[in-house]
Amino acid sequence: MSADLSAIFYLISGVLFILALRGLSSPESSRQGNFFGILGMIIAITVTFLSVGSFSSGLIYVLIFLLIGGLIGAFIAYKIPMTAMPELVAGFHSLVGLSAVLVAVSAFLNPEAFNLGSQGSIKLGSLIEMSIGATVGAITFSGSIIAFLKLQGVMSGSPITFKGQHPLNALILISIIVVTYFLCSTQSSNLFWILLSISFLIGFLLIIPIGGADMPVVISMLNSYSGWAAAGIGFTLENTALIITGALVGSSGAILSYIMCKGMNRSFFNVILGGFGATEQLASSAGKEQRPVKSGNAEDAAFLMKNASSVIIVPGYGMAVAQAQHALREMVDTLKKNDIKVSYAIHPVAGRMPGHMNVLLAEANVPYDEVFELEEINNDFANADVALVIGANDVTNPAAKTDPQSPIYGMPVLDVEKCKSVLFIKRSLSPGYAGIDNDLFYKENTLMLFADAKKMTEDITKNL
Amino acid sequence: MEIDPFIFRLSIFILSIFIGYYVVWSVTPSLHTPLMSVTNAISSVIIVGAIMAGLAGNSDSAFTISNILGFLAISLAAVNIFGGFLVTQRMLQMYKKKKKDK
């Protein structure tokens, strides 16, 4: 196949990828969008096979490795529970990063095969592009591994900070630029390996100081990086499909990071520099006074909700941990039979990744037109009878609106306190991620339900 | 004067960033998780580079390190492609509208 013809097919698959993202503007068109994405991928792979042309014995190995990877991927996709989606996405990002690194190394070792010059005298432009692709790929890989371990719970979700962390990171980032410069001027392969090693190291160091609840930002950021890495390799290989896709994914991840940061009213750098919640936690536990709270049981909660005419449910990460979404849906079904209007309010940063709560509710067969975003539903709290907060905390804290001293001041929050009564399903009175107390716990019209979210929801259903 | 082909690629890149920007802003927030998994799947189009690396420049059966790295990259990208698209499909199947007669 001629180079021109294959370039046209790569362009087509790039366009199909754009349509795949476009499809996600509504749930109805999304399934068709996913089909376009698959079609684009099939075209890209087929064209590559045809344009390489020489059907050597290597081809059979390519197909074998493709099949092995494909089977593993398909197996994971069918087995993975929806609650594990953040870990899965982080794990997948690391694979994109690693394959970008492998392709870059392969091109560095055998530049003739890619038309990039010969070893020791690779074209300057290609070498720069290759270095960028490899660096960003390596950062994506090691960063995603840490994110994966934190989300999986293998590694503690709390921030890991040490003295001199920021100067060290700054030093490494500068040395990446310096090493890239010397790599390009000397073509030394040793420098290429050093560049890769320090890139792996910085990816690791950048993510360890970031705490669990900031993971939505981190995952989106790594999503963006995996795109830029693909684009870098796309420039090296002069491949339009890779360049287009890399740019799409890169900007998609960047936008998601921005949305997540805005949901917490924090700047991107504030999140990336990390350590949030580590210091405040100490302060609040030291000077905490005992205040009375009203705690109740499932019977009280069932009574309140039975007499309500409208209920708003605010799910948070605690619902995901307790896997309470199905029990919650059953409870809501019972409420609906009693002609009680139920809707769900989702805060942008609820959970561990963008849209986490929406997927879990969808899994439990909650129709998506009962689920609302913060701006859509926030005015309705004043007219609702009961707000049921299940596994969320900071996103409901009124201190974000009233207390300029609070670390979360200015963060958009759900106006739960405007409801006639508030039910909190929570395991204990412990502060949330931001390490601050929630005034809502001590309000007159708040009833605390101390229990596992799933068990409590089931008990409430029994009492309805 | 001839324009360097790099400039053309750069133009494609910059314009694609803008397309991505506008397309992604129109994605509904409730589909942000499928958005991440599908972008993950399509960024594995890097498999194109991996296949080129795996098949690069040898007609005899001896494989270079460069080829082997390519094979490994093919597997990793394939995990992502199949895993990413299928898990997206699985998620999207779950998004349903309210049934009217209920």
Side-chain angles (χ1 to χ4, degrees):
Chain A
M1 193 182 269
S2 79
D4 287 339
L5 190 58
S6 50
I8 288 174
F9 277 109
Y10 284 134
L11 181 63
I12 292 174
S13 72
V15 172
L16 286 169
F17 291 151
I18 295 173
L19 294 176
L21 299 191
R22 182 77 187 98
L24 290 170
S25 57
S26 89
E28 286 98 79
S29 58
S30 62
R31 285 174 276 261
Q32 192 194 27
N34 200 40
F35 171 72
F36 283 137
I38 296 170
L39 192 65
M41 189 60 74
I42 293 172
I43 292 177
I45 293 175
T46 315
V47 169
T48 314
F49 276 129
L50 295 178
S51 62
V52 171
S54 66
F55 288 95
S56 63
S57 57
L59 190 69
I60 194 89
Y61 287 92
V62 169
L63 290 176
I64 290 172
F65 279 95
L66 187 72
L67 203 65
I68 294 174
L71 284 176
I72 297 173
F75 180 76
I76 297 173
Y78 278 110
K79 284 285 164 199
I80 194 90
M82 284 298 142
T83 39
M85 212 40 78
E87 295 92 294
L88 179 76
V89 169
F92 277 174
H93 287 157
S94 74
L95 298 182
V96 179
L98 191 58
S99 32
V101 172
L102 292 177
V103 173
V105 173
S106 174
F108 184 79
L109 292 176
N110 189 5
E112 290 95 341
F114 296 91
N115 231 342
L116 307 173
S118 61
Q119 199 166 15
S121 61
I122 299 173
K123 280 186 270 177
L124 179 65
S126 308
L127 191 56
I128 298 175
E129 291 154 3
M130 206 185 285
S131 311
I132 295 175
T135 306
V136 181
I139 295 175
T140 312
F141 172 70
S142 55
S144 301
I145 292 285
I146 300 298
F148 174 80
L149 293 176
K150 285 196 171 199
L151 288 163
Q152 185 84 2
V154 177
M155 213 171 131
S156 154
S158 54
I160 298 169
T161 49
F162 54 87
K163 230 180 153 195
Q165 194 161 28
H166 298 323
L168 177 68
N169 289 351
L171 190 73
I172 295 176
L173 286 173
I174 293 167
S175 65
I176 285 179
I177 297 168
V178 174
V179 172
T180 310
Y181 175 79
F182 282 108
L183 170 65
C184 293
S185 55
T186 64
Q187 301 257 350
S188 147
S189 57
N190 283 338
L191 285 174
F192 189 71
W193 307 129
I194 293 175
L195 180 66
L196 277 182
S197 327
I198 53 178
S199 306
F200 280 125
L201 183 66
I202 189 70
F204 171 77
L205 287 172
L206 278 175
I207 309 301
I208 54 166
I210 305 179
D214 283 340
M215 279 300 148
V217 181
V218 172
I219 297 196
S220 318
M221 183 186 83
L222 292 167
N223 186 239
S224 177
Y225 284 3
S226 69
W228 304 132
I233 302 296
F235 274 101
T236 321
L237 305 181
E238 309 185 344
N239 184 303
T240 22
L242 263 172
I243 296 176
I244 295 176
T245 317
L248 289 177
V249 177
S251 53
S252 161
I255 291 172
L256 289 178
S257 323
Y258 171 78
I259 295 175
M260 293 302 115
C261 288
K262 225 177 113 217
M264 297 192 288
N265 189 39
R266 291 170 57 200
S267 75
F268 183 69
F269 285 103
N270 181 299
V271 175
I272 293 312
L273 292 178
F276 189 69
T279 45
E280 283 92 339
Q281 224 145 22
L282 287 170
S284 74
S285 58
K288 201 160 77 180
E289 69 206 277
Q290 288 291 326
R291 283 195 279 172
V293 290
K294 276 204 297 188
S295 76
N297 56 25
E299 234 169 286
D300 306 328
F303 177 78
L304 265 173
M305 283 199 274
K306 228 187 310 188
N307 291 310
S309 62
S310 68
V311 174
I312 299 180
I313 295 171
V314 181
Y317 183 57
M319 181 187 83
V321 174
Q323 309 240 6
Q325 66 272 29
H326 296 282
L328 182 67
R329 211 280 321 263
E330 277 161 29
M331 187 195 87
V332 170
D333 282 350
T334 322
L335 288 175
K336 279 198 214 151
K337 270 184 210 139
N338 294 325
D339 280 330
I340 298 165
K341 188 176 164 281
V342 184
S343 35
Y344 300 80
I346 313 274
H347 192 274
V349 294
R352 286 294 184 262
M353 75 184 292
H356 192 184
M357 292 299 122
N358 303 80
V359 170
L360 293 182
L361 292 176
E363 188 201 10
N365 278 321
V366 172
Y368 62 80
D369 39 11
E370 286 176 12
V371 183
F372 299 94
E373 303 301 317
L374 181 128
E375 305 88 52
E376 294 171 318
I377 200 166
N378 227 3
N379 292 328
D380 298 351
F381 280 106
N383 304 320
D385 297 310
V386 176
L388 173 68
V389 183
I390 170 163
N393 183 1
D394 289 336
V395 297
T396 63
N397 195 336
K401 286 175 287 191
T402 53
D403 177 13
Q405 305 299 320
S406 170
I408 59 166
Y409 182 70
M411 168 171 138
V413 287
L414 293 158
D415 296 335
V416 173
E417 78 279 2
K418 290 187 183 154
C419 263
K420 289 197 191 79
S421 44
V422 182
L423 297 169
F424 256 100
I425 303 184
K426 223 174 158 300
R427 271 176 304 189
S428 70
L429 211 55
S430 64
Y433 173 65
I436 46 167
D437 223 359
N438 193 340
D439 277 339
L440 212 49
F441 297 165
Y442 312 105
K443 281 244 166 89
E444 189 65 18
N445 56 355
T446 302
L447 190 66
M448 302 296 295
L449 307 163
F450 295 115
D452 173 76
K454 189 175 175 192
K455 197 169 172 306
M456 178 54 80
T457 335
E458 283 165 354
D459 288 348
I460 295 175
T461 315
K462 276 180 212 148
N463 282 295
L464 275 170
Chain B
M1 273 222 296
E2 222 178 307
I3 301 172
D4 190 324
F6 172 79
I7 303 299
F8 286 118
R9 287 192 284 275
L10 189 67
S11 320
I12 294 173
F13 180 63
I14 304 285
L15 291 175
S16 302
I17 292 178
F18 276 90
I19 293 173
Y21 179 84
Y22 288 106
V23 169
V24 172
W25 271 119
S26 73
V27 171
T28 164
S30 67
L31 291 176
H32 276 163
T33 299
L35 171 67
M36 298 201 80
S37 62
V38 85
T39 49
N40 193 27
I42 64 172
S43 62
S44 306
V45 74
I46 199 148
I47 197 168
V48 165
I51 294 173
M52 287 166 145
L55 292 177
N58 64 326
S59 43
D60 49 41
S61 54
F63 294 121
T64 59
I65 299 175
S66 173
N67 292 138
I68 293 166
L69 292 176
F71 291 148
L72 286 178
I74 290 171
S75 282
L76 296 179
V79 171
N80 253 340
I81 293 172
F82 283 76
F85 280 124
L86 288 174
V87 89
T88 310
Q89 193 69 20
R90 216 182 115 197
M91 273 191 267
L92 294 176
Q93 298 295 355
M94 301 185 313
Y95 282 82
K96 289 188 194 87
K97 246 191 167 145
K98 194 161 22 187
K99 289 202 184 74
K100 273 173 193 147
D101 50 351
K102 215 180 170 183

Short mmCIF file of all heavy atoms in Angstrom, two decimals, chain A residues 258-304:
data_model
loop_
_atom_site.label_atom_id
_atom_site.label_comp_id
_atom_site.label_asym_id
_atom_site.label_seq_id
_atom_site.Cartn_x
_atom_site.Cartn_y
_atom_site.Cartn_z
N TYR A 258 -9.09 19.98 34.76
CA TYR A 258 -9.57 21.33 35.05
C TYR A 258 -10.92 21.28 35.76
O TYR A 258 -11.14 21.96 36.77
CB TYR A 258 -9.66 22.15 33.76
CG TYR A 258 -10.35 23.47 33.92
CD1 TYR A 258 -9.69 24.55 34.49
CD2 TYR A 258 -11.68 23.63 33.54
CE1 TYR A 258 -10.32 25.76 34.67
CE2 TYR A 258 -12.32 24.84 33.71
CZ TYR A 258 -11.64 25.90 34.27
OH TYR A 258 -12.28 27.10 34.45
N ILE A 259 -11.84 20.44 35.24
CA ILE A 259 -13.18 20.35 35.84
C ILE A 259 -13.07 19.86 37.29
O ILE A 259 -13.74 20.36 38.19
CB ILE A 259 -14.08 19.40 35.02
CG1 ILE A 259 -14.33 19.98 33.62
CG2 ILE A 259 -15.41 19.16 35.72
CD1 ILE A 259 -15.11 19.07 32.70
N MET A 260 -12.19 18.87 37.51
CA MET A 260 -12.03 18.32 38.85
C MET A 260 -11.44 19.36 39.80
O MET A 260 -11.88 19.49 40.94
CB MET A 260 -11.10 17.10 38.81
CG MET A 260 -11.66 15.92 38.08
SD MET A 260 -13.23 15.36 38.77
CE MET A 260 -14.32 15.70 37.41
N CYS A 261 -10.44 20.12 39.33
CA CYS A 261 -9.84 21.15 40.18
C CYS A 261 -10.89 22.20 40.54
O CYS A 261 -10.96 22.66 41.67
CB CYS A 261 -8.68 21.84 39.47
SG CYS A 261 -7.24 20.81 39.35
N LYS A 262 -11.70 22.56 39.55
CA LYS A 262 -12.73 23.57 39.78
C LYS A 262 -13.74 23.05 40.80
O LYS A 262 -14.23 23.80 41.64
CB LYS A 262 -13.43 23.91 38.47
CG LYS A 262 -13.61 25.40 38.30
CD LYS A 262 -14.24 25.72 36.96
CE LYS A 262 -15.61 26.27 37.15
NZ LYS A 262 -16.57 25.85 36.16
N GLY A 263 -14.04 21.75 40.74
CA GLY A 263 -14.96 21.14 41.69
C GLY A 263 -14.45 21.20 43.13
O GLY A 263 -15.20 21.00 44.07
N MET A 264 -13.15 21.42 43.28
CA MET A 264 -12.59 21.51 44.63
C MET A 264 -12.12 22.92 44.93
O MET A 264 -11.55 23.18 45.99
CB MET A 264 -11.39 20.56 44.76
CG MET A 264 -11.77 19.11 44.58
SD MET A 264 -10.45 18.01 45.07
CE MET A 264 -9.30 18.24 43.75
N ASN A 265 -12.31 23.84 43.99
CA ASN A 265 -11.84 25.21 44.10
C ASN A 265 -10.35 25.26 44.44
O ASN A 265 -9.92 26.02 45.29
CB ASN A 265 -12.64 25.99 45.14
CG ASN A 265 -12.31 27.48 45.10
OD1 ASN A 265 -12.13 28.03 44.04
ND2 ASN A 265 -12.20 28.10 46.27
N ARG A 266 -9.58 24.41 43.81
CA ARG A 266 -8.14 24.45 44.06
C ARG A 266 -7.44 24.55 42.71
O ARG A 266 -7.94 24.09 41.70
CB ARG A 266 -7.69 23.18 44.78
CG ARG A 266 -8.24 23.14 46.20
CD ARG A 266 -8.01 21.81 46.83
NE ARG A 266 -6.61 21.46 46.85
CZ ARG A 266 -6.19 20.22 46.99
NH1 ARG A 266 -7.04 19.25 47.12
NH2 ARG A 266 -4.91 19.96 47.02
N SER A 267 -6.28 25.18 42.74
CA SER A 267 -5.55 25.29 41.47
C SER A 267 -4.88 23.96 41.18
O SER A 267 -4.64 23.15 42.07
CB SER A 267 -4.51 26.39 41.55
OG SER A 267 -3.41 25.95 42.31
N PHE A 268 -4.59 23.75 39.91
CA PHE A 268 -3.94 22.52 39.48
C PHE A 268 -2.62 22.32 40.24
O PHE A 268 -2.32 21.22 40.70
CB PHE A 268 -3.70 22.60 37.98
CG PHE A 268 -3.10 21.36 37.41
CD1 PHE A 268 -3.85 20.20 37.34
CD2 PHE A 268 -1.80 21.36 36.95
CE1 PHE A 268 -3.29 19.06 36.81
CE2 PHE A 268 -1.25 20.22 36.41
CZ PHE A 268 -1.99 19.07 36.34
N PHE A 269 -1.86 23.40 40.39
CA PHE A 269 -0.56 23.27 41.05
C PHE A 269 -0.71 22.92 42.52
O PHE A 269 0.06 22.15 43.07
CB PHE A 269 0.26 24.55 40.87
CG PHE A 269 0.79 24.65 39.49
CD1 PHE A 269 0.21 25.49 38.56
CD2 PHE A 269 1.86 23.86 39.09
CE1 PHE A 269 0.68 25.55 37.27
CE2 PHE A 269 2.33 23.92 37.80
CZ PHE A 269 1.75 24.77 36.88
N ASN A 270 -1.74 23.48 43.13
CA ASN A 270 -2.00 23.15 44.53
C ASN A 270 -2.22 21.65 44.70
O ASN A 270 -1.72 21.03 45.64
CB ASN A 270 -3.24 23.94 44.98
CG ASN A 270 -3.60 23.71 46.42
OD1 ASN A 270 -3.88 22.59 46.81
ND2 ASN A 270 -3.56 24.76 47.21
N VAL A 271 -2.94 21.04 43.77
CA VAL A 271 -3.19 19.60 43.85
C VAL A 271 -1.90 18.83 43.58
O VAL A 271 -1.55 17.90 44.31
CB VAL A 271 -4.27 19.17 42.83
CG1 VAL A 271 -4.45 17.67 42.83
CG2 VAL A 271 -5.58 19.85 43.14
N ILE A 272 -1.17 19.24 42.55
CA ILE A 272 0.01 18.50 42.14
C ILE A 272 1.12 18.59 43.18
O ILE A 272 1.87 17.64 43.41
CB ILE A 272 0.50 19.03 40.76
CG1 ILE A 272 -0.53 18.68 39.71
CG2 ILE A 272 1.84 18.44 40.38
CD1 ILE A 272 -1.01 17.26 39.75
N LEU A 273 1.23 19.75 43.84
CA LEU A 273 2.27 19.86 44.86
C LEU A 273 1.96 18.95 46.05
O LEU A 273 2.85 18.57 46.78
CB LEU A 273 2.44 21.31 45.31
CG LEU A 273 3.03 22.20 44.21
CD1 LEU A 273 3.13 23.64 44.68
CD2 LEU A 273 4.40 21.69 43.76
N GLY A 274 0.67 18.64 46.22
CA GLY A 274 0.30 17.55 47.11
C GLY A 274 0.35 17.87 48.60
O GLY A 274 0.53 19.01 49.02
N GLY A 275 0.16 16.83 49.39
CA GLY A 275 0.22 16.96 50.83
C GLY A 275 -1.04 17.53 51.45
O GLY A 275 -1.09 17.74 52.66
N PHE A 276 -2.09 17.76 50.65
CA PHE A 276 -3.32 18.34 51.17
C PHE A 276 -3.95 17.43 52.22
O PHE A 276 -4.02 16.23 52.03
CB PHE A 276 -4.31 18.55 50.02
CG PHE A 276 -5.52 19.34 50.40
CD1 PHE A 276 -5.41 20.68 50.70
CD2 PHE A 276 -6.76 18.75 50.44
CE1 PHE A 276 -6.53 21.42 51.03
CE2 PHE A 276 -7.89 19.48 50.78
CZ PHE A 276 -7.77 20.82 51.06
N GLY A 277 -4.37 18.02 53.32
CA GLY A 277 -5.06 17.22 54.34
C GLY A 277 -4.12 16.64 55.36
O GLY A 277 -4.52 16.25 56.44
N ALA A 278 -2.83 16.56 55.05
CA ALA A 278 -1.89 15.92 55.98
C ALA A 278 -1.65 16.79 57.20
O ALA A 278 -1.58 16.29 58.32
CB ALA A 278 -0.57 15.64 55.28
N THR A 279 -1.53 18.10 57.01
CA THR A 279 -1.23 18.97 58.13
C THR A 279 -2.48 19.35 58.91
O THR A 279 -2.47 19.36 60.13
CB THR A 279 -0.53 20.26 57.65
OG1 THR A 279 -1.25 20.74 56.51
CG2 THR A 279 0.91 19.99 57.27
N GLU A 280 -3.55 19.63 58.19
CA GLU A 280 -4.77 20.07 58.85
C GLU A 280 -5.32 19.03 59.81
O GLU A 280 -5.87 19.34 60.84
CB GLU A 280 -5.85 20.43 57.82
CG GLU A 280 -5.66 21.76 57.15
CD GLU A 280 -4.89 21.61 55.87
OE1 GLU A 280 -4.18 20.60 55.70
OE2 GLU A 280 -4.98 22.51 55.03
N GLN A 281 -5.15 17.78 59.43
CA GLN A 281 -5.70 16.70 60.21
C GLN A 281 -5.20 16.76 61.66
O GLN A 281 -5.95 16.58 62.60
CB GLN A 281 -5.30 15.37 59.61
CG GLN A 281 -6.43 14.38 59.55
CD GLN A 281 -6.33 13.51 58.30
OE1 GLN A 281 -5.26 13.37 57.71
NE2 GLN A 281 -7.44 12.95 57.89
N LEU A 282 -3.91 17.04 61.81
CA LEU A 282 -3.30 17.13 63.13
C LEU A 282 -3.96 18.24 63.93
O LEU A 282 -4.36 18.06 65.07
CB LEU A 282 -1.81 17.42 63.00
CG LEU A 282 -0.96 16.24 62.53
CD1 LEU A 282 0.45 16.71 62.22
CD2 LEU A 282 -0.96 15.16 63.60
N ALA A 283 -4.10 19.39 63.29
CA ALA A 283 -4.64 20.56 63.98
C ALA A 283 -6.05 20.29 64.49
O ALA A 283 -6.39 20.61 65.62
CB ALA A 283 -4.63 21.76 63.04
N SER A 284 -6.88 19.67 63.66
CA SER A 284 -8.27 19.51 64.04
C SER A 284 -8.45 18.46 65.13
O SER A 284 -9.30 18.58 65.98
CB SER A 284 -9.12 19.16 62.81
OG SER A 284 -8.87 17.82 62.45
N SER A 285 -7.62 17.43 65.12
CA SER A 285 -7.81 16.41 66.14
C SER A 285 -7.29 16.89 67.49
O SER A 285 -7.73 16.43 68.54
CB SER A 285 -7.12 15.10 65.73
OG SER A 285 -5.76 15.34 65.52
N ALA A 286 -6.35 17.86 67.46
CA ALA A 286 -5.81 18.36 68.73
C ALA A 286 -6.83 19.24 69.44
O ALA A 286 -7.10 19.06 70.63
CB ALA A 286 -4.53 19.14 68.47
N GLY A 287 -7.42 20.18 68.69
CA GLY A 287 -8.27 21.16 69.36
C GLY A 287 -9.74 20.85 69.24
O GLY A 287 -10.56 21.75 69.10
N LYS A 288 -10.10 19.57 69.23
CA LYS A 288 -11.50 19.26 68.98
C LYS A 288 -12.28 19.18 70.30
O LYS A 288 -11.85 18.56 71.26
CB LYS A 288 -11.61 17.93 68.23
CG LYS A 288 -12.93 17.80 67.52
CD LYS A 288 -12.87 16.77 66.42
CE LYS A 288 -12.94 15.37 66.98
NZ LYS A 288 -12.88 14.35 65.92
N GLU A 289 -13.40 19.84 70.31
CA GLU A 289 -14.22 19.75 71.50
C GLU A 289 -15.37 18.77 71.20
O GLU A 289 -15.73 18.56 70.04
CB GLU A 289 -14.81 21.13 71.80
CG GLU A 289 -15.82 21.51 70.75
CD GLU A 289 -16.01 22.98 70.56
OE1 GLU A 289 -16.77 23.55 71.34
OE2 GLU A 289 -15.41 23.54 69.65
N GLN A 290 -15.89 18.18 72.22
CA GLN A 290 -17.00 17.25 72.03
C GLN A 290 -18.30 18.04 71.89
O GLN A 290 -18.63 18.85 72.73
CB GLN A 290 -17.09 16.32 73.25
CG GLN A 290 -15.97 15.31 73.30
CD GLN A 290 -16.09 14.28 72.19
OE1 GLN A 290 -17.19 13.91 71.81
NE2 GLN A 290 -14.96 13.83 71.66
N ARG A 291 -18.97 17.79 70.80
CA ARG A 291 -20.26 18.45 70.62
C ARG A 291 -21.32 17.38 70.49
O ARG A 291 -21.06 16.30 69.98
CB ARG A 291 -20.24 19.34 69.38
CG ARG A 291 -19.50 20.64 69.61
CD ARG A 291 -19.80 21.63 68.52
NE ARG A 291 -18.98 21.37 67.34
CZ ARG A 291 -19.17 22.01 66.18
NH1 ARG A 291 -20.15 22.88 66.05
NH2 ARG A 291 -18.39 21.75 65.16
N PRO A 292 -22.53 17.68 70.96
CA PRO A 292 -23.55 16.63 70.90
C PRO A 292 -24.05 16.41 69.47
O PRO A 292 -24.20 17.34 68.71
CB PRO A 292 -24.67 17.20 71.78
CG PRO A 292 -24.49 18.67 71.73
CD PRO A 292 -23.03 18.93 71.54
N VAL A 293 -24.23 15.15 69.14
CA VAL A 293 -24.85 14.83 67.85
C VAL A 293 -26.08 13.97 68.11
O VAL A 293 -26.16 13.28 69.12
CB VAL A 293 -23.91 14.04 66.91
CG1 VAL A 293 -22.79 14.91 66.43
CG2 VAL A 293 -23.39 12.80 67.59
N LYS A 294 -27.03 14.05 67.20
CA LYS A 294 -28.19 13.17 67.31
C LYS A 294 -27.92 11.97 66.44
O LYS A 294 -27.68 12.09 65.24
CB LYS A 294 -29.43 13.90 66.80
CG LYS A 294 -30.09 14.78 67.84
CD LYS A 294 -31.55 15.01 67.52
CE LYS A 294 -31.70 15.75 66.20
NZ LYS A 294 -33.09 16.14 65.95
N SER A 295 -27.91 10.80 67.06
CA SER A 295 -27.73 9.63 66.21
C SER A 295 -28.99 8.78 66.27
O SER A 295 -29.71 8.78 67.26
CB SER A 295 -26.50 8.83 66.64
OG SER A 295 -26.79 8.10 67.80
N GLY A 296 -29.26 8.12 65.18
CA GLY A 296 -30.50 7.35 65.12
C GLY A 296 -30.26 5.99 64.52
O GLY A 296 -29.12 5.61 64.22
N ASN A 297 -31.31 5.23 64.35
CA ASN A 297 -31.19 3.92 63.73
C ASN A 297 -32.04 3.86 62.46
O ASN A 297 -32.67 4.84 62.06
CB ASN A 297 -31.57 2.81 64.71
CG ASN A 297 -32.97 3.03 65.28
OD1 ASN A 297 -33.81 3.68 64.64
ND2 ASN A 297 -33.21 2.51 66.46
N ALA A 298 -32.05 2.69 61.87
CA ALA A 298 -32.74 2.52 60.59
C ALA A 298 -34.23 2.84 60.69
O ALA A 298 -34.82 3.38 59.77
CB ALA A 298 -32.54 1.08 60.10
N GLU A 299 -34.81 2.53 61.85
CA GLU A 299 -36.24 2.77 62.03
C GLU A 299 -36.57 4.26 61.94
O GLU A 299 -37.51 4.67 61.25
CB GLU A 299 -36.64 2.27 63.42
CG GLU A 299 -37.80 1.30 63.42
CD GLU A 299 -37.92 0.69 64.80
OE1 GLU A 299 -37.08 -0.17 65.16
OE2 GLU A 299 -38.84 1.11 65.52
N ASP A 300 -35.74 5.08 62.64
CA ASP A 300 -35.95 6.53 62.61
C ASP A 300 -35.84 7.05 61.18
O ASP A 300 -36.64 7.88 60.74
CB ASP A 300 -34.90 7.24 63.47
CG ASP A 300 -34.86 6.70 64.89
OD1 ASP A 300 -35.93 6.28 65.37
OD2 ASP A 300 -33.76 6.68 65.48
N ALA A 301 -34.81 6.55 60.49
CA ALA A 301 -34.57 7.01 59.12
C ALA A 301 -35.75 6.64 58.23
O ALA A 301 -36.22 7.47 57.43
CB ALA A 301 -33.28 6.40 58.59
N ALA A 302 -36.23 5.40 58.39
CA ALA A 302 -37.35 4.94 57.57
C ALA A 302 -38.59 5.78 57.85
O ALA A 302 -39.31 6.17 56.92
CB ALA A 302 -37.64 3.47 57.86
N PHE A 303 -38.80 6.12 59.11
CA PHE A 303 -39.95 6.93 59.50
C PHE A 303 -39.89 8.30 58.82
O PHE A 303 -40.87 8.77 58.24
CB PHE A 303 -39.98 7.08 61.03
CG PHE A 303 -41.09 7.95 61.52
CD1 PHE A 303 -42.40 7.46 61.60
CD2 PHE A 303 -40.85 9.27 61.89
CE1 PHE A 303 -43.42 8.26 62.05
CE2 PHE A 303 -41.87 10.09 62.33
CZ PHE A 303 -43.16 9.58 62.42
N LEU A 304 -38.71 8.94 58.90
CA LEU A 304 -38.53 10.26 58.30
C LEU A 304 -38.82 10.23 56.80
O LEU A 304 -39.49 11.10 56.27
CB LEU A 304 -37.09 10.73 58.52
CG LEU A 304 -36.84 11.63 59.72
CD1 LEU A 304 -35.35 11.86 59.89
CD2 LEU A 304 -37.56 12.96 59.56
#
